[in-house]
PDB file of all heavy atoms in Angstrom:
ATOM      1  N   SER A   5       4.472  10.897   2.814  1.00 97.00           N
ATOM      2  CA  SER A   5       5.259  11.561   3.838  1.00 97.00           C
ATOM      3  C   SER A   5       5.453  13.011   3.568  1.00 97.00           C
ATOM      4  O   SER A   5       5.410  13.414   2.392  1.00 97.00           O
ATOM      5  CB  SER A   5       6.684  10.884   3.971  1.00 97.00           C
ATOM      6  OG  SER A   5       6.583   9.658   4.548  1.00 97.00           O
ATOM      7  N   LYS A   6       5.737  13.753   4.603  1.00 98.00           N
ATOM      8  CA  LYS A   6       5.978  15.126   4.447  1.00 98.00           C
ATOM      9  C   LYS A   6       7.558  15.320   4.770  1.00 98.00           C
ATOM     10  O   LYS A   6       7.951  14.906   5.806  1.00 98.00           O
ATOM     11  CB  LYS A   6       5.241  15.948   5.412  1.00 98.00           C
ATOM     12  CG  LYS A   6       5.530  17.455   5.388  1.00 98.00           C
ATOM     13  CD  LYS A   6       4.468  18.216   6.265  1.00 98.00           C
ATOM     14  CE  LYS A   6       5.092  18.802   7.461  1.00 98.00           C
ATOM     15  NZ  LYS A   6       4.158  19.587   8.382  1.00 98.00           N
ATOM     16  N   LEU A   7       8.301  15.775   3.781  1.00 98.00           N
ATOM     17  CA  LEU A   7       9.704  15.943   4.000  1.00 98.00           C
ATOM     18  C   LEU A   7      10.054  17.404   4.273  1.00 98.00           C
ATOM     19  O   LEU A   7       9.596  18.241   3.651  1.00 98.00           O
ATOM     20  CB  LEU A   7      10.486  15.532   2.784  1.00 98.00           C
ATOM     21  CG  LEU A   7      11.985  15.834   2.798  1.00 98.00           C
ATOM     22  CD1 LEU A   7      12.876  15.170   3.926  1.00 98.00           C
ATOM     23  CD2 LEU A   7      12.676  15.497   1.415  1.00 98.00           C
ATOM     24  N   VAL A   8      10.737  17.608   5.409  1.00 98.00           N
ATOM     25  CA  VAL A   8      11.093  18.993   5.749  1.00 98.00           C
ATOM     26  C   VAL A   8      12.659  19.134   5.728  1.00 98.00           C
ATOM     27  O   VAL A   8      13.365  18.520   6.524  1.00 98.00           O
ATOM     28  CB  VAL A   8      10.573  19.402   7.171  1.00 98.00           C
ATOM     29  CG1 VAL A   8      10.917  20.829   7.518  1.00 98.00           C
ATOM     30  CG2 VAL A   8       9.085  19.201   7.267  1.00 98.00           C
ATOM     31  N   ASP A   9      13.179  19.817   4.744  1.00 98.00           N
ATOM     32  CA  ASP A   9      14.578  20.043   4.576  1.00 98.00           C
ATOM     33  C   ASP A   9      14.846  21.379   5.211  1.00 98.00           C
ATOM     34  O   ASP A   9      14.783  22.412   4.596  1.00 98.00           O
ATOM     35  CB  ASP A   9      14.909  20.076   3.056  1.00 98.00           C
ATOM     36  CG  ASP A   9      16.416  20.345   2.803  1.00 98.00           C
ATOM     37  OD1 ASP A   9      17.082  20.505   3.824  1.00 98.00           O
ATOM     38  OD2 ASP A   9      16.819  20.336   1.627  1.00 98.00           O
ATOM     39  N   VAL A  10      15.229  21.365   6.456  1.00 97.00           N
ATOM     40  CA  VAL A  10      15.453  22.581   7.157  1.00 97.00           C
ATOM     41  C   VAL A  10      16.688  23.314   6.710  1.00 97.00           C
ATOM     42  O   VAL A  10      16.756  24.507   6.982  1.00 97.00           O
ATOM     43  CB  VAL A  10      15.561  22.342   8.714  1.00 97.00           C
ATOM     44  CG1 VAL A  10      14.451  21.589   9.284  1.00 97.00           C
ATOM     45  CG2 VAL A  10      16.966  21.699   9.040  1.00 97.00           C
ATOM     46  N   THR A  11      17.518  22.689   5.954  1.00 96.00           N
ATOM     47  CA  THR A  11      18.776  23.375   5.492  1.00 96.00           C
ATOM     48  C   THR A  11      18.536  24.379   4.504  1.00 96.00           C
ATOM     49  O   THR A  11      19.372  25.254   4.212  1.00 96.00           O
ATOM     50  CB  THR A  11      19.784  22.394   4.899  1.00 96.00           C
ATOM     51  OG1 THR A  11      19.232  21.681   3.733  1.00 96.00           O
ATOM     52  CG2 THR A  11      20.021  21.205   5.943  1.00 96.00           C
ATOM     53  N   VAL A  12      17.368  24.357   3.769  1.00 96.00           N
ATOM     54  CA  VAL A  12      17.080  25.460   2.810  1.00 96.00           C
ATOM     55  C   VAL A  12      16.014  26.384   3.368  1.00 96.00           C
ATOM     56  O   VAL A  12      15.666  27.427   2.745  1.00 96.00           O
ATOM     57  CB  VAL A  12      16.505  24.837   1.461  1.00 96.00           C
ATOM     58  CG1 VAL A  12      17.537  23.857   0.863  1.00 96.00           C
ATOM     59  CG2 VAL A  12      15.230  24.127   1.629  1.00 96.00           C
ATOM     60  N   CYS A  13      15.583  26.223   4.543  1.00 96.00           N
ATOM     61  CA  CYS A  13      14.586  27.072   5.135  1.00 96.00           C
ATOM     62  C   CYS A  13      15.173  28.394   5.602  1.00 96.00           C
ATOM     63  O   CYS A  13      16.326  28.420   6.062  1.00 96.00           O
ATOM     64  CB  CYS A  13      13.922  26.440   6.446  1.00 96.00           C
ATOM     65  SG  CYS A  13      12.948  27.457   7.485  1.00 96.00           S
ATOM     66  N   THR A  14      14.425  29.582   5.256  1.00 95.00           N
ATOM     67  CA  THR A  14      14.978  30.777   5.630  1.00 95.00           C
ATOM     68  C   THR A  14      14.242  31.417   6.725  1.00 95.00           C
ATOM     69  O   THR A  14      14.433  32.670   7.168  1.00 95.00           O
ATOM     70  CB  THR A  14      14.888  31.785   4.419  1.00 95.00           C
ATOM     71  OG1 THR A  14      13.464  31.881   4.064  1.00 95.00           O
ATOM     72  CG2 THR A  14      15.685  31.272   3.224  1.00 95.00           C
ATOM     73  N   GLY A  15      13.373  30.649   7.404  1.00 95.00           N
ATOM     74  CA  GLY A  15      12.682  31.155   8.570  1.00 95.00           C
ATOM     75  C   GLY A  15      11.610  32.214   8.289  1.00 95.00           C
ATOM     76  O   GLY A  15      11.211  33.037   9.092  1.00 95.00           O
ATOM     77  N   CYS A  16      10.981  32.117   7.122  1.00 96.00           N
ATOM     78  CA  CYS A  16       9.978  33.243   6.707  1.00 96.00           C
ATOM     79  C   CYS A  16       8.688  33.027   7.501  1.00 96.00           C
ATOM     80  O   CYS A  16       7.813  33.935   7.564  1.00 96.00           O
ATOM     81  CB  CYS A  16       9.804  33.246   5.153  1.00 96.00           C
ATOM     82  SG  CYS A  16       8.682  31.874   4.689  1.00 96.00           S
ATOM     83  N   ARG A  17       8.402  31.835   8.044  1.00 96.00           N
ATOM     84  CA  ARG A  17       7.178  31.486   8.768  1.00 96.00           C
ATOM     85  C   ARG A  17       5.920  31.487   8.082  1.00 96.00           C
ATOM     86  O   ARG A  17       4.831  31.596   8.641  1.00 96.00           O
ATOM     87  CB  ARG A  17       7.090  32.502   9.973  1.00 96.00           C
ATOM     88  CG  ARG A  17       8.151  32.206  11.097  1.00 96.00           C
ATOM     89  CD  ARG A  17       7.914  32.921  12.329  1.00 96.00           C
ATOM     90  NE  ARG A  17       8.421  34.313  12.410  1.00 96.00           N
ATOM     91  CZ  ARG A  17       8.994  34.793  13.498  1.00 96.00           C
ATOM     92  NH1 ARG A  17       9.148  34.128  14.548  1.00 96.00           N
ATOM     93  NH2 ARG A  17       9.364  35.985  13.415  1.00 96.00           N
ATOM     94  N   ALA A  18       5.996  31.504   6.724  1.00 97.00           N
ATOM     95  CA  ALA A  18       4.835  31.387   5.951  1.00 97.00           C
ATOM     96  C   ALA A  18       4.009  30.161   6.246  1.00 97.00           C
ATOM     97  O   ALA A  18       2.816  30.148   6.302  1.00 97.00           O
ATOM     98  CB  ALA A  18       5.193  31.422   4.469  1.00 97.00           C
ATOM     99  N   CYS A  19       4.797  29.026   6.602  1.00 97.00           N
ATOM    100  CA  CYS A  19       4.054  27.812   6.977  1.00 97.00           C
ATOM    101  C   CYS A  19       3.252  27.987   8.205  1.00 97.00           C
ATOM    102  O   CYS A  19       2.134  27.455   8.336  1.00 97.00           O
ATOM    103  CB  CYS A  19       5.087  26.620   7.127  1.00 97.00           C
ATOM    104  SG  CYS A  19       6.362  26.997   8.242  1.00 97.00           S
ATOM    105  N   MET A  20       3.701  28.708   9.194  1.00 97.00           N
ATOM    106  CA  MET A  20       3.017  29.011  10.332  1.00 97.00           C
ATOM    107  C   MET A  20       1.656  29.722  10.065  1.00 97.00           C
ATOM    108  O   MET A  20       0.587  29.334  10.646  1.00 97.00           O
ATOM    109  CB  MET A  20       3.799  29.885  11.254  1.00 97.00           C
ATOM    110  CG  MET A  20       4.728  29.053  12.140  1.00 97.00           C
ATOM    111  SD  MET A  20       5.461  30.073  13.460  1.00 97.00           S
ATOM    112  CE  MET A  20       4.160  30.145  14.667  1.00 97.00           C
ATOM    113  N   VAL A  21       1.795  30.691   9.273  1.00 97.00           N
ATOM    114  CA  VAL A  21       0.678  31.554   8.929  1.00 97.00           C
ATOM    115  C   VAL A  21      -0.404  30.762   8.147  1.00 97.00           C
ATOM    116  O   VAL A  21      -1.632  30.740   8.414  1.00 97.00           O
ATOM    117  CB  VAL A  21       1.091  32.837   8.107  1.00 97.00           C
ATOM    118  CG1 VAL A  21      -0.071  33.615   7.677  1.00 97.00           C
ATOM    119  CG2 VAL A  21       2.050  33.678   8.921  1.00 97.00           C
ATOM    120  N   ALA A  22       0.189  29.912   7.160  1.00 97.00           N
ATOM    121  CA  ALA A  22      -0.779  29.112   6.363  1.00 97.00           C
ATOM    122  C   ALA A  22      -1.491  28.216   7.170  1.00 97.00           C
ATOM    123  O   ALA A  22      -2.703  27.871   6.999  1.00 97.00           O
ATOM    124  CB  ALA A  22       0.049  28.442   5.249  1.00 97.00           C
ATOM    125  N   CYS A  23      -0.818  27.458   8.180  1.00 97.00           N
ATOM    126  CA  CYS A  23      -1.466  26.523   9.016  1.00 97.00           C
ATOM    127  C   CYS A  23      -2.537  27.223   9.870  1.00 97.00           C
ATOM    128  O   CYS A  23      -3.743  26.676   9.934  1.00 97.00           O
ATOM    129  CB  CYS A  23      -0.393  25.933   9.908  1.00 97.00           C
ATOM    130  SG  CYS A  23      -1.078  24.679  11.079  1.00 97.00           S
ATOM    131  N   LYS A  24      -2.204  28.261  10.589  1.00 97.00           N
ATOM    132  CA  LYS A  24      -3.199  28.998  11.317  1.00 97.00           C
ATOM    133  C   LYS A  24      -4.393  29.305  10.485  1.00 97.00           C
ATOM    134  O   LYS A  24      -5.518  29.211  10.956  1.00 97.00           O
ATOM    135  CB  LYS A  24      -2.602  30.311  11.913  1.00 97.00           C
ATOM    136  CG  LYS A  24      -1.724  30.122  13.109  1.00 97.00           C
ATOM    137  CD  LYS A  24      -2.493  30.426  14.323  1.00 97.00           C
ATOM    138  CE  LYS A  24      -1.685  30.040  15.551  1.00 97.00           C
ATOM    139  NZ  LYS A  24      -2.329  30.237  16.832  1.00 97.00           N
ATOM    140  N   ASN A  25      -4.117  29.801   9.298  1.00 97.00           N
ATOM    141  CA  ASN A  25      -5.103  30.311   8.379  1.00 97.00           C
ATOM    142  C   ASN A  25      -6.071  29.071   7.921  1.00 97.00           C
ATOM    143  O   ASN A  25      -7.273  29.204   8.275  1.00 97.00           O
ATOM    144  CB  ASN A  25      -4.465  30.940   7.096  1.00 97.00           C
ATOM    145  CG  ASN A  25      -5.419  31.752   6.312  1.00 97.00           C
ATOM    146  OD1 ASN A  25      -6.655  31.797   6.683  1.00 97.00           O
ATOM    147  ND2 ASN A  25      -5.013  32.340   5.228  1.00 97.00           N
ATOM    148  N   TRP A  26      -5.514  28.203   7.312  1.00 97.00           N
ATOM    149  CA  TRP A  26      -6.338  26.994   6.786  1.00 97.00           C
ATOM    150  C   TRP A  26      -7.114  26.395   7.902  1.00 97.00           C
ATOM    151  O   TRP A  26      -8.290  25.996   7.757  1.00 97.00           O
ATOM    152  CB  TRP A  26      -5.434  26.049   6.140  1.00 97.00           C
ATOM    153  CG  TRP A  26      -6.306  24.833   5.686  1.00 97.00           C
ATOM    154  CD1 TRP A  26      -6.404  23.671   6.288  1.00 97.00           C
ATOM    155  CD2 TRP A  26      -7.220  24.820   4.564  1.00 97.00           C
ATOM    156  NE1 TRP A  26      -7.292  22.791   5.660  1.00 97.00           N
ATOM    157  CE2 TRP A  26      -7.832  23.505   4.649  1.00 97.00           C
ATOM    158  CE3 TRP A  26      -7.612  25.644   3.565  1.00 97.00           C
ATOM    159  CZ2 TRP A  26      -8.720  23.090   3.716  1.00 97.00           C
ATOM    160  CZ3 TRP A  26      -8.536  25.285   2.682  1.00 97.00           C
ATOM    161  CH2 TRP A  26      -9.192  23.971   2.744  1.00 97.00           C
ATOM    162  N   ASN A  27      -6.535  26.101   9.030  1.00 97.00           N
ATOM    163  CA  ASN A  27      -7.118  25.348  10.132  1.00 97.00           C
ATOM    164  C   ASN A  27      -7.916  26.221  11.050  1.00 97.00           C
ATOM    165  O   ASN A  27      -8.525  25.723  12.146  1.00 97.00           O
ATOM    166  CB  ASN A  27      -6.045  24.545  10.924  1.00 97.00           C
ATOM    167  CG  ASN A  27      -5.426  23.499  10.001  1.00 97.00           C
ATOM    168  OD1 ASN A  27      -6.150  22.619   9.536  1.00 97.00           O
ATOM    169  ND2 ASN A  27      -4.180  23.521   9.858  1.00 97.00           N
ATOM    170  N   ASP A  28      -8.064  27.470  10.805  1.00 95.00           N
ATOM    171  CA  ASP A  28      -8.848  28.404  11.631  1.00 95.00           C
ATOM    172  C   ASP A  28      -8.405  28.403  13.095  1.00 95.00           C
ATOM    173  O   ASP A  28      -9.271  28.237  13.967  1.00 95.00           O
ATOM    174  CB  ASP A  28     -10.333  28.072  11.525  1.00 95.00           C
ATOM    175  CG  ASP A  28     -11.078  28.872  10.580  1.00 95.00           C
ATOM    176  OD1 ASP A  28     -10.668  29.972  10.372  1.00 95.00           O
ATOM    177  OD2 ASP A  28     -12.078  28.513  10.031  1.00 95.00           O
ATOM    178  N   LEU A  29      -7.152  28.421  13.324  1.00 96.00           N
ATOM    179  CA  LEU A  29      -6.682  28.316  14.641  1.00 96.00           C
ATOM    180  C   LEU A  29      -6.699  29.675  15.269  1.00 96.00           C
ATOM    181  O   LEU A  29      -6.406  30.737  14.717  1.00 96.00           O
ATOM    182  CB  LEU A  29      -5.262  27.717  14.650  1.00 96.00           C
ATOM    183  CG  LEU A  29      -5.173  26.272  14.203  1.00 96.00           C
ATOM    184  CD1 LEU A  29      -3.781  25.728  14.175  1.00 96.00           C
ATOM    185  CD2 LEU A  29      -6.094  25.353  14.979  1.00 96.00           C
ATOM    186  N   PRO A  30      -6.947  29.722  16.636  1.00 95.00           N
ATOM    187  CA  PRO A  30      -7.077  31.007  17.222  1.00 95.00           C
ATOM    188  C   PRO A  30      -5.645  31.686  17.557  1.00 95.00           C
ATOM    189  O   PRO A  30      -4.696  30.943  17.495  1.00 95.00           O
ATOM    190  CB  PRO A  30      -7.639  30.570  18.622  1.00 95.00           C
ATOM    191  CG  PRO A  30      -7.301  29.246  18.906  1.00 95.00           C
ATOM    192  CD  PRO A  30      -7.152  28.561  17.544  1.00 95.00           C
ATOM    193  N   VAL A  31      -5.691  32.969  17.785  1.00 94.00           N
ATOM    194  CA  VAL A  31      -4.529  33.648  18.219  1.00 94.00           C
ATOM    195  C   VAL A  31      -4.024  33.021  19.510  1.00 94.00           C
ATOM    196  O   VAL A  31      -4.747  32.708  20.363  1.00 94.00           O
ATOM    197  CB  VAL A  31      -4.818  35.162  18.431  1.00 94.00           C
ATOM    198  CG1 VAL A  31      -3.600  35.879  18.922  1.00 94.00           C
ATOM    199  CG2 VAL A  31      -5.224  35.791  17.049  1.00 94.00           C
ATOM    200  N   GLU A  32      -2.708  32.943  19.596  1.00 94.00           N
ATOM    201  CA  GLU A  32      -2.129  32.530  20.931  1.00 94.00           C
ATOM    202  C   GLU A  32      -0.982  33.325  21.281  1.00 94.00           C
ATOM    203  O   GLU A  32       0.060  33.382  20.663  1.00 94.00           O
ATOM    204  CB  GLU A  32      -1.711  30.986  20.776  1.00 94.00           C
ATOM    205  CG  GLU A  32      -1.279  30.433  22.107  1.00 94.00           C
ATOM    206  CD  GLU A  32      -0.775  28.971  21.956  1.00 94.00           C
ATOM    207  OE1 GLU A  32      -0.434  28.566  20.889  1.00 94.00           O
ATOM    208  OE2 GLU A  32      -0.869  28.227  23.040  1.00 94.00           O
ATOM    209  N   THR A  33      -1.242  34.224  22.213  1.00 93.00           N
ATOM    210  CA  THR A  33      -0.183  35.092  22.658  1.00 93.00           C
ATOM    211  C   THR A  33       0.645  34.544  23.727  1.00 93.00           C
ATOM    212  O   THR A  33       0.126  34.040  24.671  1.00 93.00           O
ATOM    213  CB  THR A  33      -0.943  36.439  23.151  1.00 93.00           C
ATOM    214  OG1 THR A  33      -1.972  36.771  22.305  1.00 93.00           O
ATOM    215  CG2 THR A  33       0.023  37.605  23.310  1.00 93.00           C
ATOM    216  N   GLN A  34       1.962  34.532  23.499  1.00 93.00           N
ATOM    217  CA  GLN A  34       2.837  34.059  24.573  1.00 93.00           C
ATOM    218  C   GLN A  34       3.785  35.280  24.988  1.00 93.00           C
ATOM    219  O   GLN A  34       4.087  36.215  24.197  1.00 93.00           O
ATOM    220  CB  GLN A  34       3.665  32.926  24.028  1.00 93.00           C
ATOM    221  CG  GLN A  34       2.803  31.646  23.889  1.00 93.00           C
ATOM    222  CD  GLN A  34       3.590  30.426  23.503  1.00 93.00           C
ATOM    223  OE1 GLN A  34       4.773  30.515  23.256  1.00 93.00           O
ATOM    224  NE2 GLN A  34       2.931  29.264  23.467  1.00 93.00           N
ATOM    225  N   ALA A  35       4.370  35.168  26.135  1.00 92.00           N
ATOM    226  CA  ALA A  35       5.193  36.214  26.595  1.00 92.00           C
ATOM    227  C   ALA A  35       6.473  36.291  25.726  1.00 92.00           C
ATOM    228  O   ALA A  35       6.923  35.218  25.246  1.00 92.00           O
ATOM    229  CB  ALA A  35       5.548  36.011  28.009  1.00 92.00           C
ATOM    230  N   TYR A  36       6.965  37.503  25.421  1.00 91.00           N
ATOM    231  CA  TYR A  36       8.178  37.599  24.660  1.00 91.00           C
ATOM    232  C   TYR A  36       9.272  36.931  25.248  1.00 91.00           C
ATOM    233  O   TYR A  36       9.619  37.026  26.465  1.00 91.00           O
ATOM    234  CB  TYR A  36       8.475  39.049  24.458  1.00 91.00           C
ATOM    235  CG  TYR A  36       9.770  39.447  23.745  1.00 91.00           C
ATOM    236  CD1 TYR A  36       9.935  38.897  22.417  1.00 91.00           C
ATOM    237  CD2 TYR A  36      10.737  40.170  24.292  1.00 91.00           C
ATOM    238  CE1 TYR A  36      11.071  39.098  21.674  1.00 91.00           C
ATOM    239  CE2 TYR A  36      11.897  40.416  23.511  1.00 91.00           C
ATOM    240  CZ  TYR A  36      12.030  39.904  22.273  1.00 91.00           C
ATOM    241  OH  TYR A  36      13.221  40.164  21.578  1.00 91.00           O
ATOM    242  N   SER A  37      10.069  36.016  24.533  1.00 87.00           N
ATOM    243  CA  SER A  37      11.069  35.211  25.106  1.00 87.00           C
ATOM    244  C   SER A  37      12.452  35.752  24.983  1.00 87.00           C
ATOM    245  O   SER A  37      13.419  35.232  25.327  1.00 87.00           O
ATOM    246  CB  SER A  37      10.924  33.875  24.360  1.00 87.00           C
ATOM    247  OG  SER A  37      11.317  34.027  23.087  1.00 87.00           O
ATOM    248  N   GLY A  38      12.636  36.965  24.322  1.00 89.00           N
ATOM    249  CA  GLY A  38      13.838  37.460  24.070  1.00 89.00           C
ATOM    250  C   GLY A  38      14.576  37.194  22.810  1.00 89.00           C
ATOM    251  O   GLY A  38      15.751  37.576  22.492  1.00 89.00           O
ATOM    252  N   GLY A  39      13.775  36.359  21.967  1.00 88.00           N
ATOM    253  CA  GLY A  39      14.478  35.954  20.672  1.00 88.00           C
ATOM    254  C   GLY A  39      13.537  36.296  19.571  1.00 88.00           C
ATOM    255  O   GLY A  39      12.519  36.938  19.747  1.00 88.00           O
ATOM    256  N   TYR A  40      13.800  35.734  18.404  1.00 91.00           N
ATOM    257  CA  TYR A  40      12.970  35.992  17.254  1.00 91.00           C
ATOM    258  C   TYR A  40      11.844  34.967  17.158  1.00 91.00           C
ATOM    259  O   TYR A  40      10.857  35.160  16.418  1.00 91.00           O
ATOM    260  CB  TYR A  40      13.756  35.904  15.976  1.00 91.00           C
ATOM    261  CG  TYR A  40      14.595  37.136  15.717  1.00 91.00           C
ATOM    262  CD1 TYR A  40      15.983  37.195  16.085  1.00 91.00           C
ATOM    263  CD2 TYR A  40      14.062  38.282  15.094  1.00 91.00           C
ATOM    264  CE1 TYR A  40      16.698  38.453  15.849  1.00 91.00           C
ATOM    265  CE2 TYR A  40      14.771  39.412  14.807  1.00 91.00           C
ATOM    266  CZ  TYR A  40      16.100  39.498  15.247  1.00 91.00           C
ATOM    267  OH  TYR A  40      16.796  40.625  15.014  1.00 91.00           O
ATOM    268  N   GLN A  41      11.953  33.932  17.783  1.00 93.00           N
ATOM    269  CA  GLN A  41      10.970  32.806  17.703  1.00 93.00           C
ATOM    270  C   GLN A  41       9.665  33.231  18.334  1.00 93.00           C
ATOM    271  O   GLN A  41       9.650  33.837  19.458  1.00 93.00           O
ATOM    272  CB  GLN A  41      11.464  31.521  18.452  1.00 93.00           C
ATOM    273  CG  GLN A  41      10.673  30.283  18.124  1.00 93.00           C
ATOM    274  CD  GLN A  41      11.390  29.043  18.749  1.00 93.00           C
ATOM    275  OE1 GLN A  41      12.579  29.003  18.677  1.00 93.00           O
ATOM    276  NE2 GLN A  41      10.583  28.168  19.300  1.00 93.00           N
ATOM    277  N   SER A  42       8.609  32.933  17.670  1.00 93.00           N
ATOM    278  CA  SER A  42       7.290  33.530  18.135  1.00 93.00           C
ATOM    279  C   SER A  42       6.714  32.584  19.242  1.00 93.00           C
ATOM    280  O   SER A  42       6.236  33.257  20.311  1.00 93.00           O
ATOM    281  CB  SER A  42       6.253  33.402  16.938  1.00 93.00           C
ATOM    282  OG  SER A  42       6.105  32.089  16.533  1.00 93.00           O
TER     283      SER A  42
END
Side-chain angles (χ1 to χ4, degrees):
Chain A
S5 284
K6 177 172 114 180
L7 168 63
V8 180
D9 178 359
V10 307
T11 66
V12 300
C13 170
T14 59
C16 75
R17 291 192 272 223
C19 54
M20 278 188 77
V21 176
C23 176
K24 279 263 173 182
N25 192 3
W26 175 261
N27 293 300
D28 260 335
L29 298 177
V31 172
E32 186 178 24
T33 316
Q34 290 186 355
Y36 177 56
S37 66
Y40 282 95
Q41 193 173 320
S42 60

